[in-house]
Amino acid sequence: MRKISLILVIIVLLAFPSLISLGMASNQRDASIVKYQQYSSDLMIARNGVTYSYSSIVYNSTSTTNMETLTYTQYKYDVTIGSIQRYSGNLQINVTPFSINVYSQIPQLARVILIEPNFVRELVWAGFLNTSNEISGIAYFNNTATLVLEFLNGTTFTNVTFNISHTETQYTKSVSLSLLKVNLTLSGYSQYTLSFTNTFPRRYGNEVFTYNGMTSEAPYNTSIAYFNGTYVPAMIWRGEVKGLTAFSSFNLQIDAQFTNIEFFGVNGSVIGDLDNSYVSSYFSHNGFLFNLTINNVESHMKLVINPNAEYGKAKVSSMISVSNIPVVIEITDKGVESTAEVQLYHQVVVIEPAMLVSVNVNGYGEYVTVFPNVTAEYVRIASPSYVNVTNITLNSNHYTAQVVKVNSTISGYIVFNVSLLKNETFVVFKQTSNGMVQLNPNDYFIYNGKIIVFDDPSTTYYIVYGYKPSIQTPFTNVEILMIAVVVLVIIIALVLVINRRK
Protein backbone atom coordinates (compact mmCIF):
# COMPACT_ATOMS: atom_id res chain seq x y z
CA MET A 1 0.00 0.00 0.00
CA ARG A 2 2.95 2.39 0.56
CA LYS A 3 3.95 1.97 -3.09
CA ILE A 4 0.38 2.66 -4.19
CA SER A 5 0.21 5.84 -2.07
CA LEU A 6 3.54 7.07 -3.47
CA ILE A 7 2.37 6.48 -7.03
CA LEU A 8 -0.83 8.47 -6.38
CA VAL A 9 1.10 11.43 -4.94
CA ILE A 10 3.47 11.50 -7.93
CA ILE A 11 0.52 11.39 -10.37
CA VAL A 12 -1.19 14.33 -8.66
CA LEU A 13 1.99 16.44 -8.53
CA LEU A 14 2.80 15.84 -12.19
CA ALA A 15 -0.75 16.52 -13.35
CA PHE A 16 -1.08 19.86 -11.53
CA PRO A 17 2.16 21.89 -11.78
CA SER A 18 2.59 25.21 -9.97
CA LEU A 19 0.85 28.19 -11.57
CA ILE A 20 2.94 30.85 -9.84
CA SER A 21 4.50 33.45 -12.16
CA LEU A 22 6.21 36.79 -11.78
CA GLY A 23 6.78 39.47 -14.41
CA MET A 24 8.43 42.84 -14.80
CA ALA A 25 7.82 45.55 -17.38
CA SER A 26 9.98 45.55 -20.50
CA ASN A 27 9.87 47.84 -23.54
CA GLN A 28 12.95 46.69 -25.40
CA ARG A 29 12.93 47.74 -29.06
CA ASP A 30 15.79 46.41 -31.14
CA ALA A 31 15.80 45.81 -34.88
CA SER A 32 12.26 46.01 -36.23
CA ILE A 33 10.61 44.22 -39.13
CA VAL A 34 9.23 46.94 -41.40
CA LYS A 35 6.57 46.33 -44.04
CA TYR A 36 5.61 49.35 -46.13
CA GLN A 37 3.60 49.90 -49.28
CA GLN A 38 2.10 52.86 -51.08
CA TYR A 39 -0.26 52.76 -54.06
CA SER A 40 -2.16 55.28 -56.12
CA SER A 41 -4.69 54.80 -58.92
CA ASP A 42 -6.01 57.63 -61.07
CA LEU A 43 -8.57 57.46 -63.91
CA MET A 44 -9.01 60.72 -65.88
CA ILE A 45 -11.65 61.28 -68.57
CA ALA A 46 -11.28 64.35 -70.78
CA ARG A 47 -12.54 65.48 -74.18
CA ASN A 48 -9.29 64.44 -75.82
CA GLY A 49 -9.27 60.93 -74.34
CA VAL A 50 -8.92 58.71 -71.30
CA THR A 51 -5.77 58.20 -69.24
CA TYR A 52 -5.06 55.79 -66.41
CA SER A 53 -2.14 56.31 -64.00
CA TYR A 54 -0.85 54.27 -61.11
CA SER A 55 2.17 54.09 -58.85
CA SER A 56 3.37 51.54 -56.36
CA ILE A 57 6.15 50.82 -53.94
CA VAL A 58 6.58 47.82 -51.64
CA TYR A 59 9.26 47.63 -48.96
CA ASN A 60 9.89 44.71 -46.61
CA SER A 61 13.03 44.61 -44.51
CA THR A 62 14.60 44.47 -41.06
CA SER A 63 15.57 47.97 -39.96
CA THR A 64 17.55 49.44 -37.06
CA THR A 65 16.97 53.08 -38.12
CA ASN A 66 13.98 55.35 -37.51
CA MET A 67 13.92 56.83 -41.03
CA GLU A 68 13.58 55.16 -44.41
CA THR A 69 13.84 56.91 -47.81
CA LEU A 70 12.42 55.20 -50.91
CA THR A 71 12.04 56.04 -54.58
CA TYR A 72 9.02 55.04 -56.63
CA THR A 73 7.80 55.57 -60.20
CA GLN A 74 4.41 56.67 -61.41
CA TYR A 75 3.21 55.31 -64.78
CA LYS A 76 0.74 57.07 -67.06
CA TYR A 77 -1.16 55.24 -69.83
CA ASP A 78 -3.41 56.34 -72.67
CA VAL A 79 -6.52 54.16 -72.67
CA THR A 80 -8.02 52.86 -75.90
CA ILE A 81 -11.56 51.59 -75.42
CA GLY A 82 -12.83 48.74 -77.57
CA SER A 83 -15.99 46.68 -77.72
CA ILE A 84 -17.77 44.81 -74.92
CA GLN A 85 -16.22 41.46 -74.10
CA ARG A 86 -17.63 38.70 -71.93
CA TYR A 87 -15.10 37.21 -69.50
CA SER A 88 -15.68 34.15 -67.32
CA GLY A 89 -13.35 32.64 -64.76
CA ASN A 90 -12.45 32.19 -61.12
CA LEU A 91 -11.37 34.74 -58.55
CA GLN A 92 -9.42 33.33 -55.61
CA ILE A 93 -8.53 35.22 -52.41
CA ASN A 94 -5.95 34.02 -49.87
CA VAL A 95 -5.89 35.79 -46.51
CA THR A 96 -3.01 35.80 -44.03
CA PRO A 97 -2.67 38.00 -40.91
CA PHE A 98 -0.80 40.80 -42.71
CA SER A 99 -1.37 40.25 -46.42
CA ILE A 100 -3.92 39.38 -49.08
CA ASN A 101 -3.23 37.46 -52.27
CA VAL A 102 -5.58 37.64 -55.27
CA TYR A 103 -5.55 35.33 -58.28
CA SER A 104 -7.79 36.54 -61.10
CA GLN A 105 -8.71 34.71 -64.30
CA ILE A 106 -10.60 37.85 -65.33
CA PRO A 107 -8.39 40.51 -66.98
CA GLN A 108 -8.37 44.30 -66.43
CA LEU A 109 -8.06 44.16 -62.64
CA ALA A 110 -6.98 47.67 -61.57
CA ARG A 111 -7.67 48.06 -57.85
CA VAL A 112 -8.10 45.94 -54.72
CA ILE A 113 -9.70 47.84 -51.82
CA LEU A 114 -10.34 46.58 -48.28
CA ILE A 115 -13.11 48.13 -46.18
CA GLU A 116 -13.84 47.48 -42.51
CA PRO A 117 -16.56 50.03 -41.63
CA ASN A 118 -15.69 52.51 -38.88
CA PHE A 119 -12.24 51.00 -38.56
CA VAL A 120 -9.98 50.90 -41.60
CA ARG A 121 -9.98 51.41 -45.39
CA GLU A 122 -7.01 50.37 -47.54
CA LEU A 123 -5.86 50.30 -51.14
CA VAL A 124 -4.28 46.86 -50.97
CA TRP A 125 -3.05 46.97 -54.55
CA ALA A 126 -3.24 49.17 -57.66
CA GLY A 127 -2.01 48.54 -61.21
CA PHE A 128 -3.37 46.81 -64.29
CA LEU A 129 -3.59 43.13 -65.30
CA ASN A 130 -4.27 42.54 -68.98
CA THR A 131 -4.31 38.72 -68.55
CA SER A 132 -4.95 36.15 -65.85
CA ASN A 133 -2.47 36.84 -63.08
CA GLU A 134 -1.76 36.96 -59.38
CA ILE A 135 -1.13 39.96 -57.11
CA SER A 136 -0.52 40.47 -53.39
CA GLY A 137 -0.43 43.36 -50.98
CA ILE A 138 0.03 44.22 -47.32
CA ALA A 139 -3.37 44.30 -45.64
CA TYR A 140 -4.89 44.41 -42.19
CA PHE A 141 -8.39 44.06 -40.79
CA ASN A 142 -9.55 43.45 -37.25
CA ASN A 143 -12.67 41.33 -37.44
CA THR A 144 -14.55 41.04 -40.74
CA ALA A 145 -14.12 43.12 -43.88
CA THR A 146 -15.25 43.58 -47.46
CA LEU A 147 -12.66 43.10 -50.18
CA VAL A 148 -13.52 44.95 -53.40
CA LEU A 149 -11.91 43.95 -56.70
CA GLU A 150 -12.28 46.80 -59.24
CA PHE A 151 -11.95 45.97 -62.94
CA LEU A 152 -11.36 48.79 -65.42
CA ASN A 153 -14.45 49.01 -67.63
CA GLY A 154 -13.87 51.76 -70.16
CA THR A 155 -14.36 55.04 -68.28
CA THR A 156 -15.54 53.43 -65.06
CA PHE A 157 -14.99 50.39 -62.84
CA THR A 158 -16.93 47.16 -62.32
CA ASN A 159 -16.73 45.69 -58.82
CA VAL A 160 -16.71 42.17 -57.40
CA THR A 161 -16.86 41.91 -53.60
CA PHE A 162 -15.83 39.27 -51.06
CA ASN A 163 -16.75 39.14 -47.38
CA ILE A 164 -13.65 37.97 -45.52
CA SER A 165 -12.80 37.11 -41.92
CA HIS A 166 -9.99 35.49 -39.93
CA THR A 167 -11.87 32.21 -39.62
CA GLU A 168 -11.14 31.30 -43.26
CA THR A 169 -7.98 31.70 -45.28
CA GLN A 170 -9.25 31.08 -48.82
CA TYR A 171 -12.24 32.33 -50.82
CA THR A 172 -13.22 31.47 -54.41
CA LYS A 173 -15.86 32.83 -56.76
CA SER A 174 -16.76 31.88 -60.31
CA VAL A 175 -17.83 35.05 -62.11
CA SER A 176 -18.86 36.24 -65.54
CA LEU A 177 -18.30 39.93 -66.34
CA SER A 178 -19.13 42.08 -69.38
CA LEU A 179 -16.32 44.63 -69.72
CA LEU A 180 -15.35 47.16 -72.35
CA LYS A 181 -12.06 45.89 -73.69
CA VAL A 182 -9.26 48.37 -72.97
CA ASN A 183 -5.69 48.64 -74.22
CA LEU A 184 -3.11 50.70 -72.36
CA THR A 185 -0.23 52.54 -74.04
CA LEU A 186 2.51 53.97 -71.86
CA SER A 187 2.63 57.73 -72.34
CA GLY A 188 4.85 58.87 -69.49
CA TYR A 189 6.32 58.27 -66.10
CA SER A 190 7.89 60.25 -63.28
CA GLN A 191 9.93 59.39 -60.21
CA TYR A 192 9.35 60.53 -56.63
CA THR A 193 11.14 60.18 -53.31
CA LEU A 194 9.31 59.61 -50.03
CA SER A 195 10.44 59.23 -46.45
CA PHE A 196 8.73 57.57 -43.52
CA THR A 197 9.64 56.94 -39.90
CA ASN A 198 9.57 53.75 -37.85
CA THR A 199 8.63 55.51 -34.64
CA PHE A 200 5.62 54.56 -32.52
CA PRO A 201 2.90 56.94 -31.32
CA ARG A 202 2.91 58.18 -27.75
CA ARG A 203 0.99 55.76 -25.56
CA TYR A 204 -2.18 57.34 -24.13
CA GLY A 205 -1.76 60.51 -26.19
CA ASN A 206 -3.75 62.01 -29.05
CA GLU A 207 -2.59 61.81 -32.66
CA VAL A 208 -2.83 64.55 -35.29
CA PHE A 209 -3.34 63.52 -38.92
CA THR A 210 -2.81 65.96 -41.80
CA TYR A 211 -3.60 65.93 -45.50
CA ASN A 212 -3.05 68.83 -47.91
CA GLY A 213 -3.17 71.36 -45.11
CA MET A 214 -6.25 69.82 -43.48
CA THR A 215 -5.82 68.33 -40.01
CA SER A 216 -7.71 65.90 -37.81
CA GLU A 217 -6.92 65.28 -34.14
CA ALA A 218 -7.71 61.73 -33.08
CA PRO A 219 -8.18 60.68 -29.44
CA TYR A 220 -7.07 57.21 -28.42
CA ASN A 221 -9.35 54.25 -27.89
CA THR A 222 -8.25 51.25 -25.81
CA SER A 223 -9.46 47.88 -27.06
CA ILE A 224 -8.21 44.54 -28.31
CA ALA A 225 -7.11 44.06 -31.90
CA TYR A 226 -6.10 41.17 -34.14
CA PHE A 227 -2.38 40.55 -34.40
CA ASN A 228 -0.85 37.58 -36.20
CA GLY A 229 -3.42 34.98 -35.24
CA THR A 230 -4.65 36.25 -31.89
CA TYR A 231 -6.21 39.28 -30.21
CA VAL A 232 -3.98 41.47 -28.05
CA PRO A 233 -4.44 44.72 -26.11
CA ALA A 234 -4.31 47.70 -28.46
CA MET A 235 -4.62 51.44 -28.71
CA ILE A 236 -6.44 52.73 -31.78
CA TRP A 237 -6.45 56.19 -33.29
CA ARG A 238 -8.86 57.05 -36.11
CA GLY A 239 -9.19 60.35 -37.92
CA GLU A 240 -11.04 61.60 -40.99
CA VAL A 241 -10.81 64.72 -43.13
CA LYS A 242 -13.55 65.55 -45.61
CA GLY A 243 -13.69 68.29 -48.21
CA LEU A 244 -16.50 69.29 -50.54
CA THR A 245 -16.63 72.11 -53.07
CA ALA A 246 -19.55 72.24 -55.50
CA PHE A 247 -20.82 74.74 -58.07
CA SER A 248 -23.12 74.36 -61.04
CA SER A 249 -20.33 73.01 -63.25
CA PHE A 250 -17.65 72.16 -60.71
CA ASN A 251 -17.55 69.37 -58.11
CA LEU A 252 -14.66 68.35 -55.84
CA GLN A 253 -15.00 65.71 -53.10
CA ILE A 254 -12.17 64.52 -50.86
CA ASP A 255 -12.35 61.88 -48.13
CA ALA A 256 -9.15 61.14 -46.21
CA GLN A 257 -9.24 58.41 -43.55
CA PHE A 258 -6.43 57.58 -41.13
CA THR A 259 -5.98 54.63 -38.78
CA ASN A 260 -3.12 53.98 -36.40
CA ILE A 261 -3.00 50.89 -34.15
CA GLU A 262 -0.40 50.06 -31.53
CA PHE A 263 -0.32 46.43 -30.34
CA PHE A 264 0.87 45.36 -26.87
CA GLY A 265 2.18 42.08 -25.56
CA VAL A 266 3.52 40.58 -22.34
CA ASN A 267 4.35 43.16 -19.64
CA GLY A 268 2.87 45.91 -21.82
CA SER A 269 5.71 45.73 -24.35
CA VAL A 270 5.04 47.14 -27.82
CA ILE A 271 4.85 44.25 -30.28
CA GLY A 272 3.83 46.22 -33.35
CA ASP A 273 2.43 49.37 -34.88
CA LEU A 274 0.21 49.86 -37.91
CA ASP A 275 -0.09 53.21 -39.70
CA ASN A 276 -2.57 53.50 -42.58
CA SER A 277 -4.04 56.29 -44.67
CA TYR A 278 -6.62 56.13 -47.44
CA VAL A 279 -7.61 59.08 -49.61
CA SER A 280 -10.30 59.02 -52.27
CA SER A 281 -11.05 62.08 -54.36
CA TYR A 282 -13.48 62.81 -57.16
CA PHE A 283 -13.33 65.87 -59.41
CA SER A 284 -15.64 66.79 -62.27
CA HIS A 285 -16.02 69.88 -64.41
CA ASN A 286 -18.47 70.32 -67.26
CA GLY A 287 -17.96 73.67 -68.91
CA PHE A 288 -17.75 75.51 -72.19
CA LEU A 289 -13.98 75.25 -72.47
CA PHE A 290 -13.39 71.71 -71.21
CA ASN A 291 -14.93 68.67 -69.57
CA LEU A 292 -12.89 66.70 -67.08
CA THR A 293 -13.53 63.89 -64.59
CA ILE A 294 -10.88 62.45 -62.25
CA ASN A 295 -11.38 59.39 -60.06
CA ASN A 296 -8.42 59.00 -57.69
CA VAL A 297 -7.55 56.64 -54.84
CA GLU A 298 -4.26 56.60 -52.94
CA SER A 299 -3.16 54.81 -49.80
CA HIS A 300 -0.18 53.85 -47.71
CA MET A 301 0.27 51.06 -45.17
CA LYS A 302 3.18 50.79 -42.74
CA LEU A 303 3.54 47.88 -40.35
CA VAL A 304 6.40 47.81 -37.83
CA ILE A 305 6.84 44.59 -35.85
CA ASN A 306 9.04 44.11 -32.79
CA PRO A 307 10.26 40.51 -33.22
CA ASN A 308 11.62 40.31 -29.65
CA ALA A 309 8.35 41.07 -27.87
CA GLU A 310 6.27 38.17 -26.54
CA TYR A 311 2.52 37.76 -26.85
CA GLY A 312 0.09 34.89 -26.44
CA LYS A 313 -3.51 33.78 -26.70
CA ALA A 314 -5.77 35.40 -24.13
CA LYS A 315 -7.43 33.22 -21.50
CA VAL A 316 -8.99 36.17 -19.64
CA SER A 317 -9.52 39.73 -20.89
CA SER A 318 -10.64 42.55 -18.63
CA MET A 319 -11.01 46.34 -18.72
CA ILE A 320 -10.01 48.45 -15.72
CA SER A 321 -9.43 52.14 -15.01
CA VAL A 322 -6.25 53.73 -13.70
CA SER A 323 -6.84 57.32 -12.60
CA ASN A 324 -9.87 57.42 -14.93
CA ILE A 325 -7.73 56.13 -17.83
CA PRO A 326 -9.06 52.93 -19.49
CA VAL A 327 -6.67 49.97 -19.45
CA VAL A 328 -6.97 46.55 -21.08
CA ILE A 329 -5.47 43.57 -19.22
CA GLU A 330 -5.22 40.08 -20.71
CA ILE A 331 -4.06 36.93 -18.93
CA THR A 332 -2.42 34.73 -21.56
CA ASP A 333 -0.45 31.53 -21.82
CA LYS A 334 2.76 33.64 -22.00
CA GLY A 335 2.05 36.13 -19.20
CA VAL A 336 0.09 39.34 -18.61
CA GLU A 337 -0.51 41.68 -21.55
CA SER A 338 -1.79 45.24 -21.22
CA THR A 339 -2.09 48.63 -22.85
CA ALA A 340 -0.43 49.91 -19.66
CA GLU A 341 3.06 49.14 -18.43
CA VAL A 342 2.98 45.99 -16.29
CA GLN A 343 5.16 46.39 -13.20
CA LEU A 344 4.61 42.88 -11.89
CA TYR A 345 2.12 40.04 -11.86
CA HIS A 346 1.73 37.04 -9.60
CA GLN A 347 -0.85 34.32 -9.18
CA VAL A 348 -2.75 34.48 -5.90
CA VAL A 349 -5.54 32.34 -4.51
CA VAL A 350 -8.89 33.90 -3.60
CA ILE A 351 -11.12 30.82 -3.25
CA GLU A 352 -9.77 30.03 -6.74
CA PRO A 353 -6.57 31.04 -8.55
CA ALA A 354 -6.54 34.68 -9.73
CA MET A 355 -3.87 37.05 -11.02
CA LEU A 356 -2.55 39.98 -9.00
CA VAL A 357 -1.33 42.65 -11.44
CA SER A 358 0.40 45.98 -10.91
CA VAL A 359 0.09 48.41 -13.85
CA ASN A 360 1.26 51.96 -14.50
CA VAL A 361 -0.14 54.62 -16.84
CA ASN A 362 1.66 57.95 -17.17
CA GLY A 363 3.03 57.66 -13.63
CA TYR A 364 -0.22 56.49 -12.03
CA GLY A 365 -0.09 52.97 -10.55
CA GLU A 366 -2.79 50.50 -9.62
CA TYR A 367 -2.99 46.97 -8.23
CA VAL A 368 -5.87 44.78 -9.42
CA THR A 369 -6.86 41.15 -9.09
CA VAL A 370 -8.16 39.61 -12.32
CA PHE A 371 -10.40 36.57 -11.90
CA PRO A 372 -11.08 33.72 -14.37
CA ASN A 373 -14.66 34.98 -14.84
CA VAL A 374 -13.20 38.19 -16.39
CA THR A 375 -14.10 40.39 -13.39
CA ALA A 376 -11.42 42.50 -11.76
CA GLU A 377 -11.21 43.96 -8.26
CA TYR A 378 -8.99 46.81 -7.19
CA VAL A 379 -6.41 46.11 -4.49
CA ARG A 380 -5.49 48.86 -2.06
CA ILE A 381 -1.90 49.49 -1.00
CA ALA A 382 -1.59 49.39 2.79
CA SER A 383 1.40 51.01 4.48
CA PRO A 384 2.39 49.10 7.64
CA SER A 385 1.99 51.27 10.73
CA TYR A 386 4.29 49.06 12.81
CA VAL A 387 7.09 46.62 11.88
CA ASN A 388 9.27 45.00 14.52
CA VAL A 389 11.42 41.89 15.01
CA THR A 390 10.32 39.44 17.66
CA ASN A 391 10.62 35.80 18.70
CA ILE A 392 7.67 33.49 18.26
CA THR A 393 6.95 29.91 19.36
CA LEU A 394 5.08 27.56 17.03
CA ASN A 395 4.61 23.86 17.73
CA SER A 396 7.08 24.12 20.62
CA ASN A 397 9.77 25.52 18.30
CA HIS A 398 11.25 29.02 18.49
CA TYR A 399 11.54 31.25 15.41
CA THR A 400 12.57 34.77 14.48
CA ALA A 401 9.64 36.73 13.07
CA GLN A 402 8.64 40.17 11.88
CA VAL A 403 5.40 41.42 13.36
CA VAL A 404 3.57 43.78 10.99
CA LYS A 405 0.51 45.86 11.81
CA VAL A 406 -1.65 47.38 9.05
CA ASN A 407 -4.90 49.34 8.82
CA SER A 408 -7.58 46.66 8.63
CA THR A 409 -10.39 49.19 8.09
CA ILE A 410 -9.60 49.19 4.37
CA SER A 411 -12.37 47.33 2.55
CA GLY A 412 -11.57 44.68 -0.03
CA TYR A 413 -8.16 43.21 -0.76
CA ILE A 414 -4.88 44.83 0.27
CA VAL A 415 -1.22 44.46 -0.61
CA PHE A 416 1.68 45.60 1.57
CA ASN A 417 5.42 45.08 1.60
CA VAL A 418 8.22 44.84 4.14
CA SER A 419 11.96 44.41 3.70
CA LEU A 420 13.27 40.86 3.70
CA LEU A 421 14.91 40.20 7.09
CA LYS A 422 16.77 36.97 6.34
CA ASN A 423 17.72 35.13 3.21
CA GLU A 424 15.88 31.96 4.19
CA THR A 425 12.49 30.37 3.84
CA PHE A 426 9.60 32.04 5.59
CA VAL A 427 5.86 31.68 6.16
CA VAL A 428 3.28 34.44 6.67
CA PHE A 429 0.59 34.14 9.34
CA LYS A 430 -2.17 36.54 10.28
CA GLN A 431 -3.81 37.02 13.67
CA THR A 432 -7.55 36.32 13.68
CA SER A 433 -10.22 35.84 16.34
CA ASN A 434 -9.60 32.10 15.92
CA GLY A 435 -5.87 32.40 16.43
CA MET A 436 -2.94 32.34 14.03
CA VAL A 437 -3.88 31.43 10.44
CA GLN A 438 -1.29 30.58 7.82
CA LEU A 439 -1.68 32.45 4.50
CA ASN A 440 -1.74 30.52 1.27
CA PRO A 441 1.87 30.37 -0.02
CA ASN A 442 0.67 31.86 -3.33
CA ASP A 443 -0.38 35.05 -1.56
CA TYR A 444 3.09 36.27 -0.68
CA PHE A 445 6.33 36.46 -2.65
CA ILE A 446 9.65 38.32 -2.90
CA TYR A 447 10.06 41.20 -5.36
CA ASN A 448 13.11 43.52 -5.48
CA GLY A 449 14.27 42.45 -2.01
CA LYS A 450 10.88 43.02 -0.40
CA ILE A 451 8.19 40.63 0.77
CA ILE A 452 4.89 41.41 -0.96
CA VAL A 453 1.80 40.20 0.91
CA PHE A 454 -1.70 40.00 -0.60
CA ASP A 455 -4.72 39.36 1.63
CA ASP A 456 -8.29 40.07 2.62
CA PRO A 457 -7.04 42.26 5.44
CA SER A 458 -6.42 41.55 9.05
CA THR A 459 -4.67 43.79 11.59
CA THR A 460 -1.56 41.85 12.57
CA TYR A 461 0.72 39.64 10.46
CA TYR A 462 3.73 37.53 11.37
CA ILE A 463 6.49 36.72 8.89
CA VAL A 464 8.13 33.67 10.46
CA TYR A 465 11.62 32.75 9.22
CA GLY A 466 12.91 29.18 9.08
CA TYR A 467 9.43 27.72 9.53
CA LYS A 468 8.54 24.80 7.27
CA PRO A 469 5.09 25.51 5.84
CA SER A 470 2.31 23.00 5.80
CA ILE A 471 1.14 21.95 2.33
CA GLN A 472 -1.78 23.98 0.99
CA THR A 473 -3.49 23.20 -2.27
CA PRO A 474 -4.11 26.18 -4.59
CA PHE A 475 -7.01 24.35 -6.25
CA THR A 476 -10.65 25.29 -6.57
CA ASN A 477 -13.42 23.16 -5.07
CA VAL A 478 -14.22 21.84 -8.53
CA GLU A 479 -10.57 20.92 -9.14
CA ILE A 480 -10.35 19.20 -5.76
CA LEU A 481 -13.47 17.19 -6.61
CA MET A 482 -11.97 16.23 -9.97
CA ILE A 483 -8.72 15.17 -8.29
CA ALA A 484 -10.68 13.09 -5.76
CA VAL A 485 -12.61 11.36 -8.55
CA VAL A 486 -9.38 10.61 -10.47
CA VAL A 487 -7.68 9.28 -7.34
CA LEU A 488 -10.72 7.15 -6.49
CA VAL A 489 -10.80 5.65 -10.00
CA ILE A 490 -7.07 4.86 -9.81
CA ILE A 491 -7.46 3.23 -6.37
CA ILE A 492 -10.37 1.07 -7.60
CA ALA A 493 -8.37 0.04 -10.66
CA LEU A 494 -5.33 -0.87 -8.57
CA VAL A 495 -7.47 -2.86 -6.09
CA LEU A 496 -9.06 -4.81 -8.98
CA VAL A 497 -5.60 -5.57 -10.44
CA ILE A 498 -4.29 -6.76 -7.07
CA ASN A 499 -7.38 -8.98 -6.44
CA ARG A 500 -7.03 -10.57 -9.90
CA ARG A 501 -3.41 -11.43 -9.21
CA LYS A 502 -4.46 -13.14 -5.97
Side-chain angles (χ1 to χ4, degrees), residues 295-339:
N295 179 330
N296 173 265
V297 177
E298 57 186 84
S299 177
H300 88 266
M301 170 75 74
K302 180 189 71 175
L303 179 65
V304 182
I305 299 173
N306 180 359
N308 298 313
E310 282 192 302
Y311 59 97
K313 293 186 179 296
K315 298 178 179 179
V316 178
S317 182
S318 185
M319 179 76 77
I320 68 165
S321 178
V322 176
S323 188
N324 295 320
I325 300 173
V327 172
V328 176
I329 294 178
E330 287 192 344
I331 312 301
T332 77
D333 53 349
K334 295 290 185 66
V336 174
E337 302 174 346
S338 180
T339 52

Side-chain angles (χ1 to χ4, degrees), residues 41 52 108-112 125-129 150-152 157:
S41 173
Y52 176 66
Q108 301 184 190
L109 180 64
R111 296 172 178 170
V112 177
W125 176 86
F128 184 77
L129 300 182
E150 296 194 353
F151 295 85
L152 186 57
F157 294 93

Side-chain angles (χ1 to χ4, degrees), residues 1 101 109 163 168 284-285 303 314 360 389 413-414 492:
M1 287 302 293
N101 180 282
L109 180 64
N163 294 321
E168 295 184 49
S284 67
H285 176 75
L303 179 65
N360 185 285
V389 179
Y413 301 108
I414 66 165
I492 293 173

Side-chain angles (χ1 to χ4, degrees), residues 495-502:
V495 169
L496 291 175
V497 170
I498 292 172
N499 288 336
R500 285 180 181 176
R501 290 180 176 177
K502 290 180 178 180

Side-chain angles (χ1 to χ4, degrees), residues 30-179:
D30 296 325
S32 299
I33 297 172
V34 181
K35 299 176 181 290
Y36 182 91
Q37 71 179 26
Q38 180 166 310
Y39 286 104
S40 70
S41 173
D42 188 289
L43 181 63
M44 184 170 67
I45 301 100
R47 285 182 177 178
N48 60 345
V50 179
T51 60
Y52 176 66
S53 304
Y54 66 84
S55 66
S56 65
I57 186 168
V58 178
Y59 175 82
N60 190 344
S61 182
T62 299
S63 175
T64 56
T65 63
N66 287 332
M67 179 72 70
E68 302 290 344
T69 301
L70 307 175
T71 301
Y72 70 100
T73 303
Q74 184 176 54
Y75 299 92
K76 182 179 180 181
Y77 296 89
D78 292 330
V79 180
T80 303
I81 302 175
S83 59
I84 294 179
Q85 300 287 323
R86 190 73 177 176
Y87 299 102
S88 298
N90 292 330
L91 302 173
Q92 181 175 302
I93 310 297
N94 292 303
V95 178
T96 64
F98 299 128
S99 67
I100 287 178
N101 180 282
V102 178
Y103 175 72
S104 175
Q105 293 181 338
I106 308 296
Q108 301 184 190
L109 180 64
R111 296 172 178 170
V112 177
I113 298 173
L114 184 146
I115 303 169
E116 185 169 4
N118 302 316
F119 192 80
V120 70
R121 187 179 289 252
E122 305 159 15
L123 182 59
V124 177
W125 176 86
F128 184 77
L129 300 182
N130 56 10
T131 60
S132 299
N133 214 327
E134 186 174 9
I135 62 93
S136 65
I138 302 170
Y140 175 86
F141 62 100
N142 187 46
N143 190 11
T144 60
T146 299
L147 193 68
V148 183
L149 277 57
E150 296 194 353
F151 295 85
L152 186 57
N153 186 9
T155 59
T156 185
F157 294 93
T158 295
N159 298 344
V160 177
T161 63
F162 288 80
N163 294 321
I164 60 175
S165 70
H166 294 296
T167 59
E168 295 184 49
T169 59
Q170 189 174 96
Y171 304 82
T172 303
K173 277 187 180 181
S174 295
V175 298
S176 182
L177 299 180
S178 294
L179 303 174

Side-chain angles (χ1 to χ4, degrees), residues 54 70 80 117 176 181 208 258 268 320 343 364 373 380 398:
Y54 66 84
L70 307 175
T80 303
S176 182
K181 174 67 175 176
V208 177
F258 307 91
I320 68 165
Q343 303 297 309
Y364 297 98
N373 64 358
R380 302 307 174 193
H398 303 289

